[in-house]
Structures are given as structure tokens and as C-alpha cells.
Amino acid sequence: MKADPSFSNLLAAASQGWCERNGDEGVLSLALPIDGVDPLQKLPQLVDDHPFRFLWDSSPGLCFATTGQCQSMDLAGPKRFDVAQRFSDATLARLKDATPASPAQARPRVLLAFTFFEHPAERQRDLICPPAVQAVLPRWQLSRQGRQGWLRLNGVVTQQAEARELAEKLWLMAESLQTTSIEASPWQDHRPETRTLQSWQDCYRPALRRGLELVNSGELHKLVLAVRQSIQLEQPLNPLPLLAQLRQQQAGSCRFLWSRNHDDAFFGASPERLLSLQGGQLRTDALAGTADRDDDGQKLLKSDKDRREHELVVASIMQELIKQDLKPRRPRQPQLAKHGRLMHLHTPITANAMGQQPLKLAGALHPTPAVAGLPCREAMAWLRTLEPFERGNYAAPIGWIDSQGDTELRVAIRCGHARGSMLDLTAGAGLVKGSVVERELQEVGLKLSVLADQLDLNTNHSP
């Protein structure tokens, strides 16, 4: 532990925060510098009474892990982005940060997970589906950027003694995280011994053929059809070791985990940014067009089909940002973005968004044509018809908004959803004129393998 701040300084900050709070009851937030810790490795030690866990790992950039819920909201309905923005603004405004000098990486954050559709499909109403948006102010937050780490604790306080107790808990947790060896974390033997794979190609082929009919006839310009592979494991999956491996193999992606309880974990490694808002500067990604396994990217750059698919996504995002009174900028030509074994066409789009509400922009951008299709409304209706499963959080925004309004939302792709010993992997392919069924099957197999390969699961069967 650093010599400064001392425990006495932390108590003084807690006491002052209590005195400066708004109203008789409020959320007090305290933070301590804590170096030499990896939030991904230390997440199992960040224990709280509430089972909620979250991980955001864009290392070597920002990485943070959270546990517990200080305040939360679950909501369904068409106004979910607006309500989530109001909840985030109100929650962070009521919060009293007793350590305001902490850096950007340590700011208090509201965590956000949306579903792809506003409501579950009629045929899925009897199933347990996630809320249309979940928003959480966590209790514990352990962050690291570069070599600098911070531990934050948020708690509702109603009297000064509770402010002191909050400081004591923070101090003790910081000591525990720094003195406990990483090897104490349960990293070994995480791969299931037996598993049963269901073939996904047979059910996907008919949907692909119908989707191709729709785009070739001109009824749709693009349709992104997804497939789900369900895997029965012998024992529940611990996703953390898998995410640690993806840090090495998918370094350009952002690894994430949203776990509502011990038996439910949504996780993945997303290469696609829906939006990033820092200091009023907006960035979003157009990511569409995927290389074959043996392509170094040159065939992808020369592919008429992939370039047309990519340009549809870029143009749609640009038009949507213009509708929001922004002046977006883009490079003339797409770049190549390599994520593990996959290569994509990538166009970053930027704009000055000072004064804009980030979740209003997110609601305008979601879903992009990279995960739905064009025209959007018609494509969404066909997805309901052709996909025999509920997308849930797949291809939807996931991320956070901090106390200064800075926001990062990723598109939740390259992902899995573990419920006990059942694991669902989901991936999709974009269909435009010129698409071929066999090639789309191969592309989806490659995308499923991003997670399946970590578990020695053979998803990429020959179509």
C-alpha cells in the first residue's frame, strides 16, 4: 500500500464526504490507489454479498472489474436508451465522490447492458429473457490503466458511522488484494471434460437461402443472419480463464463479462465499438467484411462483395450521425483490422459531439447494419422470422458511462452466454447481393471458433 494516502486521510475524506452529501441519504464513493494488480486476475477476490460481476478489459488500455450492486435498474420498452441516460445522470449526480482528485480511469461508472430487441419475440415470452436494459452502479470497482491501479467502493450512507465503516472496508479490501497471490485464483482445469455439440449448419442453411432470396430480389439491401450453437458441458463454465486467453489472442478486441449471478454469465471479445465519447469527441466503428481463413487481407480489400457490404454500413452510420446534427468524418478507404485469426474491413468515424447525450446517440446508432441489415426496420422483422432463437444481449450495446459523461459502448459480438452447464455461442454473417451460402457458412464457423477454440470445441465443421 502506498504511504499516502494513509488510513487517517481516508477516514478524513469519508467524514468530509458525509458532511458534504446532498440530503439525509446518499451514495458515498471512496477510492484508493492500488498498484500491481490485474483486475481480471483479481475479480474472484473482489467479494461482495451481491453476486453481480462485470469485467471490461481493453488492456493495454483501460481494464476494470466490478462486483456487487449499489444501485440498479432493469427496464423493458422502447424508451430504454432515454431512461438509461436519465438513470445514469441522476445516479452519478447524487453520488458524492470523496476522492475527486482520482484520475479518469478511477471515476465512478454506471454499467450498461442492452438487449438487441426492445422486447422478446412473442414465441419467447414464456422463457427467461434479460431485461431490455440493465444499468448498475457497482459496489466495488477495481481499475488499471498502464501500471496505475485504483480501488473504489460505493455505498449508501445514512449516518457518519457508516461513512467510517465504508472507509474501513475499502482499506481492508485494498490490503487483501495486494497481499494475496494471483496463483490463489481458480485458473486451473477450467476446460470441461465432456460436452455435446449440436450441429448448427443444418438449421442455418435454409435461413441463409431465404436471406439470399431477399437480398437478391432487392427486398433488402443487406441482412445479417445469426446462428446459435448450444453446447452441453459436464460442469458450469468459469469464463475468466477463457477471457485471460483472449487477452493474448484477441489483443485488439475488448473482452467483457456481464454476470448477473453465479449461474449466468454473458461474455466475449468484441472488436466493434458502437461509440466512444471522451471530452465531447465521438468515435464509432464501421466493421463489416470478413476475410477467408487463408486471406492476408488483400483479397478482402479487392472483394467487390465485401467492399459493397462495408460501404453500406459506413454510409448508414454517417447518415444517422448527420440526422443527430453532427458532422461526421471518415477516411476515404477502409483499413484492415486483424483480430486473432479474423480479418475485417474497418472504417473509424469521428465527430465533435460536445453537449450530446451519449445514450441518445447510442439509441440512434443501434442496431448498425453490421449486425442487423438495411432497411433496418424490414431487416429486423425478417430476423424475427428467420432466427429461431432470442438474440438477448447478442449484437447489442454493452459498456459504461462515467461521472464526467465519458462513455464507451461495444457491440456484443464474438460472445457466449453460459447458464449453468449450458453454453450458447452466437455469430452472424452479412448477406448482400453476391453472397454465397458456402462462404457464409465458413465465415460463421470462423466467428464461432473465436470462443470455441479456447475450449477445444470443434465448431468449424466442413459445411
Side-chain angles (χ1 to χ4, degrees):
M1 179 68 62
K2 289 186 174 182
D4 187 21
S6 65
F7 181 55
S8 59
N9 288 339
L10 183 63
L11 286 175
S15 178
Q16 184 176 355
W18 158 257
C19 294
E20 294 175 353
R21 74 199 185 286
N22 295 323
D24 295 331
E25 178 180 302
V27 175
L28 183 63
S29 188
L30 294 169
L32 275 176
I34 172 172
D35 293 344
V37 296
D38 180 352
L40 190 158
Q41 293 274 355
K42 292 291 187 178
L43 180 53
Q45 295 174 235
L46 205 62
V47 179
D48 189 80
D49 292 337
H50 193 284
F52 176 77
R53 299 189 301 168
F54 177 85
L55 176 72
W56 187 265
D57 180 32
S58 57
S59 297
L62 175 66
C63 176
F64 69 93
T66 80
T67 59
Q69 292 186 355
C70 183
Q71 294 186 339
S72 64
M73 176 198 72
D74 290 357
L75 179 75
K79 299 294 185 181
R80 56 187 178 150
F81 285 94
D82 293 337
V83 175
Q85 182 73 61
R86 292 197 294 270
F87 171 84
S88 301
D89 290 345
T91 299
L92 293 170
R94 288 195 300 265
L95 178 146
K96 174 59 185 177
D97 187 358
T99 47
S102 57
Q105 58 140 306
R107 290 173 185 161
R109 288 177 168 83
V110 169
L111 316 173
L112 300 158
F114 294 83
T115 54
F116 186 82
F117 291 102
E118 294 173 353
H119 299 286
E122 192 67 38
R123 64 179 182 272
Q124 304 286 345
R125 293 289 169 87
D126 294 335
L127 300 179
I128 299 176
C129 298
V133 59
Q134 301 167 75
V136 176
L137 176 70
R139 184 156 169 80
W140 294 98
Q141 177 180 298
L142 176 63
S143 62
R144 183 183 71 175
Q145 190 157 15
R147 296 183 177 180
Q148 189 179 40
W150 282 78
L151 179 65
R152 178 173 293 278
L153 177 59
N154 302 312
V156 175
V157 293
T158 57
Q159 51 188 322
Q160 192 163 9
E162 292 175 338
R164 178 186 177 90
E165 182 181 0
L166 204 69
E168 292 172 346
K169 288 182 177 179
L170 177 62
W171 187 265
L172 291 173
M173 179 66 82
E175 285 189 331
S176 173
L177 292 173
Q178 288 192 309
T179 57
T180 305
S181 170
I182 287 177
E183 284 71 24
S185 299
W187 296 105
Q188 304 302 317
D189 299 327
H190 67 278
R191 294 184 177 179
E193 294 181 6
T194 62
R195 52 269 180 182
T196 302
L197 277 69
Q198 297 178 355
S199 174
W200 54 269
Q201 288 90 345
D202 291 342
C203 64
Y204 195 43
R205 270 197 183 89
L208 279 179
R209 292 192 180 103
R210 182 64 180 120
L212 285 174
E213 290 175 0
L214 293 168
V215 297
N216 287 330
S217 68
E219 184 170 344
L220 297 175
H221 298 305
K222 180 178 181 179
L223 183 65
V224 185
L225 271 177
V227 67
R228 176 158 296 167
Q229 182 181 32
S230 295
I231 304 163
Q232 183 65 55
L233 307 175
E234 186 181 66
Q235 58 190 12
L237 177 71
N238 175 12
L240 293 181
L242 185 150
L243 292 169
Q245 291 177 342
L246 290 173
R247 177 186 282 180
Q248 306 300 320
Q249 299 174 16
Q250 301 281 328
S253 299
C254 180
R255 282 72 57 194
F256 62 86
L257 167 68
W258 186 283
S259 180
R260 302 184 72 189
N261 55 60
H262 300 301
D263 295 322
D264 189 295
F266 179 65
F267 60 95
S270 172
E272 186 174 351
R273 179 185 289 104
L274 181 68
L275 70 82
S276 172
L277 193 64
Q278 293 188 357
Q281 295 303 306
L282 172 75
R283 172 173 166 168
T284 183
D285 291 339
L287 198 76
T290 303
D292 292 330
R293 186 187 296 269
D294 59 350
D295 186 4
D296 62 359
Q298 295 311 304
K299 287 195 297 184
L300 184 63
L301 286 171
K302 297 175 183 177
S303 167
D304 177 68
K305 177 262 181 187
D306 288 292
R307 292 293 290 266
R308 282 189 290 107
E309 178 187 351
H310 184 78
E311 189 57 35
L312 283 173
V313 175
V314 174
S316 176
I317 293 174
M318 295 284 288
Q319 291 169 8
E320 196 56 59
L321 292 177
I322 291 170
K323 289 180 184 177
Q324 303 301 314
D325 296 324
L326 301 181
K327 297 179 180 179
R329 303 176 298 275
R330 54 159 293 186
R332 291 185 178 181
Q333 301 295 329
Q335 307 165 359
L336 288 173
K338 184 174 176 59
H339 296 278
R341 295 160 54 194
L342 298 179
M343 186 85 70
H344 303 286
L345 293 176
H346 171 226
T347 297
I349 299 170
T350 58
N352 183 343
M354 189 68 69
Q356 293 273 357
Q357 291 186 322
L359 298 187
K360 178 183 178 183
L361 294 175
L365 290 172
H366 172 74
T368 72
V371 292
L374 285 171
C376 183
R377 181 172 298 183
E378 289 81 354
M380 296 276 275
W382 276 109
L383 292 179
R384 286 294 206 194
T385 300
L386 296 175
E387 293 177 353
F389 56 88
E390 184 66 30
R391 282 198 173 194
N393 298 115
Y394 167 72
I398 187 169
W400 50 267
I401 180 169
D402 74 16
S403 56
Q404 295 301 308
D406 286 356
T407 305
E408 181 86 18
L409 292 171
R410 290 275 171 159
V411 181
I413 54 177
R414 312 294 183 270
C415 60
H417 194 168
R419 298 179 183 89
S421 58
M422 178 62 71
L423 173 62
D424 291 330
L425 305 181
T426 310
L431 307 180
V432 296
K433 285 185 178 180
S435 294
V436 178
V437 168
E438 300 309 310
R439 185 185 169 191
E440 304 307 323
L441 284 167
Q442 182 183 50
E443 178 179 322
V444 168
L446 285 170
K447 292 174 178 177
L448 289 172
S449 71
V450 170
L451 294 186
D453 283 357
Q454 312 305 314
L455 301 171
D456 291 339
L457 301 176
N458 180 21
T459 64
N460 211 13
H461 303 303
S462 298

